[in-house]
Amino acid sequence: VITMAPTLLILLWATGILQVDLLPDKKLVLLPPVNFTIEVSGLSQALLRWEPNPDQEGRNVKLGYRVKISAPQEEDYETRSTESKRVTILHKGFSASVQTILWTDPSLPASSWVSADLEAPAGSPGTSVVNLTCTTNTAANNYTDLRPYQVSLHCTWLVGKEAPEDTQYFLYYRYGSQTEECQEYSKDTLKRNIACWFPRTFINSKGRDSLAVYVNGSSKHAVIKPFDQLFALHAIDRVNPPVNITAQIEGTSLSIQWEKPVSAFPIHCFDYEVKIYNTRKGYVQTEKMTTNAFTSIIDDISKYSIQVRAAVRSVCRAMGLWSEWSQPIYVGNDEQKPLTEWFLIVLMATICFLLLIFSLTCRICHLWTKLFPPVPAPKSNVKDFFVTTHYEKTGSNETEIEVISYVEEPGFEVLEDSVF
Ligand SMILES: *[C@@H]1O[C@H](CO)[C@@H](O)[C@H](O)[C@H]1NC(C)=O
Ligand SMILES: *[C@@H]1O[C@H](CO)[C@@H](O)[C@H](O)[C@H]1NC(C)=O
Ligand SMILES: *[C@@H]1O[C@H](CO)[C@@H](O)[C@H](O)[C@H]1NC(C)=O
Ligand SMILES: *[C@@H]1O[C@H](CO)[C@@H](O)[C@H](O)[C@H]1NC(C)=O
Ligand SMILES: *[C@@H]1O[C@H](CO)[C@@H](O)[C@H](O)[C@H]1NC(C)=O
């Protein structure tokens, strides 16, 4: 008991100290940050910076900041840092506010806000480009082994409605920290740039950063308003079609194999679609696949046209677009087709021949009945009635005879049967 007492005292004393230390914080008044500035640190990139208020009390409290962006898009976040980089379009201007908060206890009243903004760039309305679209494509890099793939970029746009005829546009892109100006423009009839092609870029096709594209311009008659846009790589990437497609038919099985497209993505990153077209029946079969081979049972001898396309799977990147279909390859043959036709012709000929023989036989039968007329017998009334009706109905003599002879025959047979 004697040894426990000092320990207890020390504990009580320590708690007291803690409470004494916490208490002033409760009364702590937070002051807003100072020297808040926003600057353009790259295409479609703003850098926000501020300093902690030099008059802020409470040296050992953990301060933080709440940032509120109001334009071009509302956004709210908290940070302990005194600078923050935002990737966003800047042609509409940018404005933000920041306040000091207690990082450990955000419920404590925060400081007042300080605000700053970036003006929208100058320019006459309607002079900036419209309908800016961009696509990327990956190719094998023949120049260096360090980067086995290179990404090309192609952008097109329309001239602003109010842009003077002498307007010239210039396009730049930024990916990560790299910025490049376009070197290969396509022009309209007034020699204004309306498209751009970068055969090689710094874009990493597997990267998750947005691609920033900026188009400004110049004219003697107006200030051309710049325009910028952000693109998500998965949404603009034109995946290459699969390569080395082969197909064989063995018996009734059609097997197809292919290799992944030229792409920085590894083999497990692709979904495929196989299109098998039966050229004889005009029938299309489409199959979704996750492997590089497909076997189909075919019940038809025909020529087949086979095409495969690919898309990057959602496990490797946000789902994007399907590639183009590969060039069709052909397997099987339709030499069977003329054979089938021949078979049909022979069949028809045989049927005709048989019919001819049959009718001849009938005529001979008829002749025979005429040569050797059967024993005359009383004709049934019903038969007489038939003959008369047909006689009345039919117009030409030939038909008349035919009909009569046709009707007569069964009559004779019946008679013969009944007589003999
Ligand atoms: C704020 O900016 C002014 C002038 O640029 C500078 O003199 C001052 O030291 C800055 N304050 C802080 C806290 O950095
Ligand atoms: C340009 O985009 C607007 C909407 O953003 C659309 O209405 C228009 O049809 C597009 N023009 C062309 C030529 O694609
Ligand atoms: C790279 O090589 C491929 C064939 O391996 C060829 O088709 C392509 O044109 C080459 N690319 C360049 C830029 O030379
Ligand atoms: C367009 O923007 C680029 C990069 O910001 C700049 O270097 C160039 O001077 C601008 N051109 C015009 C005509 O404003
Ligand atoms: C296609 O197949 C050939 C031979 O099988 C091979 O040499 C070539 O590397 C393959 N191409 C690709 C892109 O895999």
Side-chain angles (χ1 to χ4, degrees), residues 140-143 150 200:
N141 192 345
N142 302 1
Y143 301 103
Q150 66 189 36
R200 279 182 300 285

PDB file of all heavy atoms in Angstrom, residues 140-143 150 200, ligand 3:
ATOM      1  N   ALA A 140       4.158  -0.463 -81.790  1.00  0.00           N
ATOM      2  CA  ALA A 140       5.434  -0.985 -81.320  1.00  0.00           C
ATOM      3  C   ALA A 140       6.488   0.082 -81.579  1.00  0.00           C
ATOM      4  O   ALA A 140       6.463   0.751 -82.608  1.00  0.00           O
ATOM      5  CB  ALA A 140       5.768  -2.263 -82.061  1.00  0.00           C
ATOM      6  N   ASN A 141       7.378   0.278 -80.622  1.00  0.00           N
ATOM      7  CA  ASN A 141       8.416   1.289 -80.774  1.00  0.00           C
ATOM      8  C   ASN A 141       9.649   0.657 -81.399  1.00  0.00           C
ATOM      9  O   ASN A 141      10.320  -0.156 -80.782  1.00  0.00           O
ATOM     10  CB  ASN A 141       8.744   1.886 -79.410  1.00  0.00           C
ATOM     11  CG  ASN A 141       9.594   3.123 -79.512  1.00  0.00           C
ATOM     12  OD1 ASN A 141      10.169   3.400 -80.565  1.00  0.00           O
ATOM     13  ND2 ASN A 141       9.673   3.869 -78.437  1.00  0.00           N
ATOM     14  N   ASN A 142       9.950   1.045 -82.635  1.00  0.00           N
ATOM     15  CA  ASN A 142      11.079   0.441 -83.351  1.00  0.00           C
ATOM     16  C   ASN A 142      12.408   1.094 -82.993  1.00  0.00           C
ATOM     17  O   ASN A 142      13.451   0.619 -83.374  1.00  0.00           O
ATOM     18  CB  ASN A 142      10.886   0.583 -84.864  1.00  0.00           C
ATOM     19  CG  ASN A 142       9.604  -0.063 -85.337  1.00  0.00           C
ATOM     20  OD1 ASN A 142       8.854  -0.605 -84.546  1.00  0.00           O
ATOM     21  ND2 ASN A 142       9.387  -0.031 -86.620  1.00  0.00           N
ATOM     22  N   TYR A 143      12.347   2.231 -82.295  1.00  0.00           N
ATOM     23  CA  TYR A 143      13.574   3.015 -82.135  1.00  0.00           C
ATOM     24  C   TYR A 143      14.357   2.677 -80.877  1.00  0.00           C
ATOM     25  O   TYR A 143      15.557   2.787 -80.851  1.00  0.00           O
ATOM     26  CB  TYR A 143      13.232   4.508 -82.155  1.00  0.00           C
ATOM     27  CG  TYR A 143      12.563   4.892 -83.445  1.00  0.00           C
ATOM     28  CD1 TYR A 143      11.195   5.088 -83.509  1.00  0.00           C
ATOM     29  CD2 TYR A 143      13.324   5.017 -84.605  1.00  0.00           C
ATOM     30  CE1 TYR A 143      10.592   5.411 -84.710  1.00  0.00           C
ATOM     31  CE2 TYR A 143      12.718   5.349 -85.800  1.00  0.00           C
ATOM     32  CZ  TYR A 143      11.362   5.541 -85.851  1.00  0.00           C
ATOM     33  OH  TYR A 143      10.761   5.869 -87.034  1.00  0.00           O
ATOM     34  N   GLN A 150       4.972   2.970 -78.166  1.00  0.00           N
ATOM     35  CA  GLN A 150       4.827   4.412 -78.285  1.00  0.00           C
ATOM     36  C   GLN A 150       3.368   4.732 -78.564  1.00  0.00           C
ATOM     37  O   GLN A 150       2.669   3.993 -79.254  1.00  0.00           O
ATOM     38  CB  GLN A 150       5.731   4.947 -79.379  1.00  0.00           C
ATOM     39  CG  GLN A 150       5.353   4.472 -80.766  1.00  0.00           C
ATOM     40  CD  GLN A 150       6.398   4.855 -81.794  1.00  0.00           C
ATOM     41  OE1 GLN A 150       7.591   4.862 -81.518  1.00  0.00           O
ATOM     42  NE2 GLN A 150       5.935   5.158 -82.994  1.00  0.00           N
ATOM     43  N   ARG A 200       4.490  10.349 -81.974  1.00  0.00           N
ATOM     44  CA  ARG A 200       5.020   9.832 -80.698  1.00  0.00           C
ATOM     45  C   ARG A 200       4.757  10.856 -79.611  1.00  0.00           C
ATOM     46  O   ARG A 200       4.925  12.050 -79.833  1.00  0.00           O
ATOM     47  CB  ARG A 200       6.528   9.600 -80.802  1.00  0.00           C
ATOM     48  CG  ARG A 200       6.917   8.298 -81.465  1.00  0.00           C
ATOM     49  CD  ARG A 200       8.421   8.118 -81.490  1.00  0.00           C
ATOM     50  NE  ARG A 200       9.083   9.192 -82.230  1.00  0.00           N
ATOM     51  CZ  ARG A 200       9.074   9.275 -83.553  1.00  0.00           C
ATOM     52  NH1 ARG A 200       8.467   8.354 -84.270  1.00  0.00           N
ATOM     53  NH2 ARG A 200       9.670  10.277 -84.167  1.00  0.00           N
TER      54      ARG A 200
HETATM   55  C1  LIG B   3       7.753  -0.482 -86.904  1.00  0.00           C
HETATM   56  O1  LIG B   3       7.854  -1.794 -87.411  1.00  0.00           O
HETATM   57  C2  LIG B   3       6.643  -2.320 -87.956  1.00  0.00           C
HETATM   58  C3  LIG B   3       6.911  -3.751 -88.382  1.00  0.00           C
HETATM   59  O2  LIG B   3       7.582  -4.432 -87.402  1.00  0.00           O
HETATM   60  C4  LIG B   3       6.215  -1.461 -89.127  1.00  0.00           C
HETATM   61  O3  LIG B   3       4.976  -1.959 -89.616  1.00  0.00           O
HETATM   62  C5  LIG B   3       6.038  -0.029 -88.669  1.00  0.00           C
HETATM   63  O4  LIG B   3       5.748   0.779 -89.772  1.00  0.00           O
HETATM   64  C6  LIG B   3       7.334   0.476 -88.002  1.00  0.00           C
HETATM   65  N1  LIG B   3       7.068   1.788 -87.456  1.00  0.00           N
HETATM   66  C7  LIG B   3       7.851   2.817 -87.715  1.00  0.00           C
HETATM   67  C8  LIG B   3       7.438   4.090 -87.070  1.00  0.00           C
HETATM   68  O5  LIG B   3       8.830   2.744 -88.389  1.00  0.00           O
END
